[in-house]
Amino acid sequence: MFELMDKAPADPIMGITELYNTDTNPNKINLSMGVFKDEQGNTPLLSCVKKAEAKIYATEDTKAYSAIEGFSSFNDAVLPLIFGADHEAVTSGRSATIHTPGGSGALRIVGDFLTKLSPSNTIWVSDPTWVNHINIFETAGLQVKRYPYFDKTTNGLAFDTMMSALKDIPAGDTVLFHGCCHNPTGVDPSNDQWQQISDLVHGNGLMPVLDFAYQGFAEGIREDGEGPLKLVQPGKETLICGSFSKNFALYNERTGSLTAVAADAAAVNIATSQIKSVIRAIYSSPPAHGGIIVSTILNDPELRTQWESELKQMRERIQNMRQLLAETLTAKGVPGDHSFITRQRGMFSFSGLNPTQVEQLKNDHSIYIVGNGRINVAAITPDNCDALCEAIANVS
Ligand SMILES: Cc1ncc(COP(=O)(O)O)c(C=O)c1O
């Protein structure tokens, strides 16, 4: 049977790293994967994680299954982390968080949950969006449609065009928004724009899903929620996918969360029971280790303070690299105003490089970038920035 199948195409992002790994040029640069790197080009294991693991190994005495929804020590700590402990969605009891295998796992559960239970099988995603969104939702059986998001002329948000497209979406359809640090553009709505989006979404009976994979990577844990959490209105439903891959650097531990916000506590119980029935049929219960690390850190005041400071260091390094990239591009004479790079937030910048330039950078300079021109700013270092900008000047 296998030999009769066609080979599956390489993943558009992971496939680039596979190519990068085979490149023998010692000066090669990989700006494709969404992974944070330190100044030495390594993806660090956070010290708070190392300490939490030591604590866990000293006390852990069983590998018995966790519940379908994961451990309550994780779920009860993550819910107030997302919202702030005094948020109405927390104090009212109308929200519940469960532990998922990464943010991707949370998105897939949402896909299956909607396919099974939503009266509409359509989800709208921003154009552009993280390519795996389309893959995940289509595989779950949803019809994926796009709303405009990015304005190429300003390298900013196409707010008016987006709002008029959102107005035309039929009631009952689901709309996916990126919480912050939009992937791939790095462009987020302002807090005021989020309010307008929220009013339109709930006013028109749309179902919002928030993909909050980069909480803490723009300005801070609380600050990053200010705008997108306006989607959480009293008595209204929202689904929130979280990820600890980036903000705890727990990439390979596959640690994420899914939070259901319902009209009231009784409704969230129903939603959670259905989510659990979806999970049972896919992977039964989540991998425990990453969840225990996160809950150990969040429930220990000293470790939590350390985590917040390590998160701040990651955030500030990215902001510094944005500044350096914009300045070096200008210094190398690359045409255009590069100040937009410092206004975009999070790991990614939509560089404006076209597919031909991306190809030239790979073939002539061993620089690997996603075909749509998305650059992972968090993989730029003071050592490789000069060579990168020289190469971009070469292909511009
Ligand atoms: C927008 C977005 N959502 C979700 C994810 C999934 O993250 P995880 O690695 O936790 O599955 C990513 C990862 O790159 C992402 O960029």
Side-chain angles (χ1 to χ4, degrees):
M1 180 177 78
F2 298 160
E3 66 211 19
L4 298 177
M5 296 172 179
D6 290 330
K7 199 165 176 222
D11 180 86
I13 297 176
M14 300 276 203
I16 299 172
T17 296
E18 285 166 21
L19 264 182
Y20 168 85
N21 289 339
T22 62
D23 190 329
T24 52
N25 182 343
N27 299 319
K28 63 185 178 178
I29 304 174
N30 185 3
L31 304 178
S32 62
M33 284 276 284
V35 172
F36 175 85
K37 306 262 173 128
D38 62 19
E39 296 230 323
Q40 287 68 47
N42 302 317
T43 301
L45 177 57
L46 301 188
S47 302
C48 60
V49 168
K50 201 84 186 132
K51 284 188 193 163
E53 285 187 314
K55 222 173 144 178
I56 295 161
Y57 288 130
T59 52
E60 193 174 47
D61 54 8
T62 180
K63 292 284 185 191
Y65 288 122
S66 53
I68 296 174
E69 68 275 23
F71 295 111
S72 57
S73 54
F74 173 92
N75 298 338
D76 294 347
V78 171
L79 180 64
L81 176 74
I82 294 168
F83 289 101
D86 50 3
H87 193 285
E88 173 276 332
V90 179
T91 55
S92 61
R94 66 184 185 98
S95 311
T97 294
I98 60 151
H99 172 197
T100 60
S104 305
L107 289 160
R108 178 57 196 259
I109 297 162
V110 165
D112 281 17
F113 174 77
L114 292 171
T115 305
K116 192 173 163 193
L117 296 156
S118 158
S120 147
N121 77 332
T122 304
I123 189 162
W124 295 75
V125 299
S126 62
D127 183 14
T129 194
W130 181 45
V131 281
N132 211 25
H133 278 149
I134 297 153
N135 186 25
I136 289 172
F137 293 131
E138 282 184 349
T139 306
L142 292 173
Q143 199 190 351
V144 180
K145 294 188 176 170
R146 291 168 177 78
Y147 60 86
Y149 189 81
F150 186 66
D151 183 345
K152 280 191 184 135
T153 54
T154 62
N155 284 302
L157 182 64
F159 184 67
D160 294 340
T161 323
M162 174 180 79
M163 290 299 275
S164 71
L166 292 178
K167 271 188 199 123
D168 290 338
I169 298 180
D173 281 7
T174 299
V175 189
L176 180 90
F177 297 97
H178 298 226
C180 67
C181 309
H182 182 272
N183 178 2
T185 66
V187 171
D188 295 329
S190 67
N191 289 354
D192 175 56
Q193 288 170 333
W194 272 117
Q195 189 61 57
Q196 294 180 54
I197 293 168
S198 174
D199 291 343
L200 188 155
V201 162
H202 291 298
N204 287 4
L206 308 178
M207 173 72 201
V209 175
L210 200 58
D211 181 0
F212 209 3
Y214 295 89
Q215 189 175 9
F217 258 65
E219 287 170 34
I221 286 288
R222 281 284 65 74
E223 294 85 342
D224 291 357
E226 257 174 55
L229 292 175
K230 290 186 192 297
L231 280 176
V232 177
Q233 294 197 2
K236 303 287 186 191
E237 295 172 355
T238 313
L239 291 166
I240 304 172
C241 301
S243 168
F244 300 97
S245 302
K246 324 286 167 163
N247 55 15
F248 279 76
L250 282 176
Y251 304 90
N252 69 10
E253 294 293 354
R254 312 307 304 128
T255 314
S257 62
L258 174 57
T259 299
V261 186
D264 54 35
V268 84
N269 259 326
I270 299 172
T272 308
S273 73
Q274 288 291 354
I275 288 169
K276 281 164 61 176
S277 112
V278 165
I279 291 171
R280 183 71 173 137
I282 316 178
Y283 57 84
S284 200
S285 61
H289 190 61
I292 302 176
I293 293 171
V294 169
S295 62
T296 302
I297 293 170
L298 293 180
N299 291 316
D300 177 322
E302 210 173 295
L303 288 179
R304 187 180 174 125
T305 306
Q306 186 174 6
W307 168 61
E308 283 173 12
S309 122
E310 293 189 90
L311 176 59
K312 184 165 179 267
Q313 283 168 30
M314 291 195 278
R315 186 167 62 234
E316 288 178 351
R317 199 190 98 63
I318 299 173
Q319 283 157 359
N320 292 342
M321 287 306 102
R322 286 190 174 282
Q323 199 68 41
L324 183 66
L325 176 63
E327 283 168 12
T328 317
L329 286 171
T330 306
K332 297 278 176 197
V334 177
D337 171 8
H338 306 293
S339 60
F340 70 89
I341 295 171
T342 60
R343 288 192 297 276
Q344 296 174 341
R345 308 188 323 154
M347 279 194 183
F348 301 112
S349 176
F350 226 31
S351 63
L353 290 163
N354 63 40
T356 314
Q357 292 170 313
V358 169
E359 208 47 30
Q360 280 175 302
L361 285 171
K362 182 182 76 186
N363 296 338
D364 304 344
H365 303 275
S366 295
I367 293 173
Y368 292 78
I369 293 173
V370 181
N372 60 12
R374 185 193 84 169
I375 281 184
N376 177 15
V377 182
I380 298 175
T381 67
D383 288 341
N384 70 20
C385 191
D386 201 76
L388 167 69
C389 295
E390 187 78 46
I392 293 178
N394 240 284
V395 302
S396 296

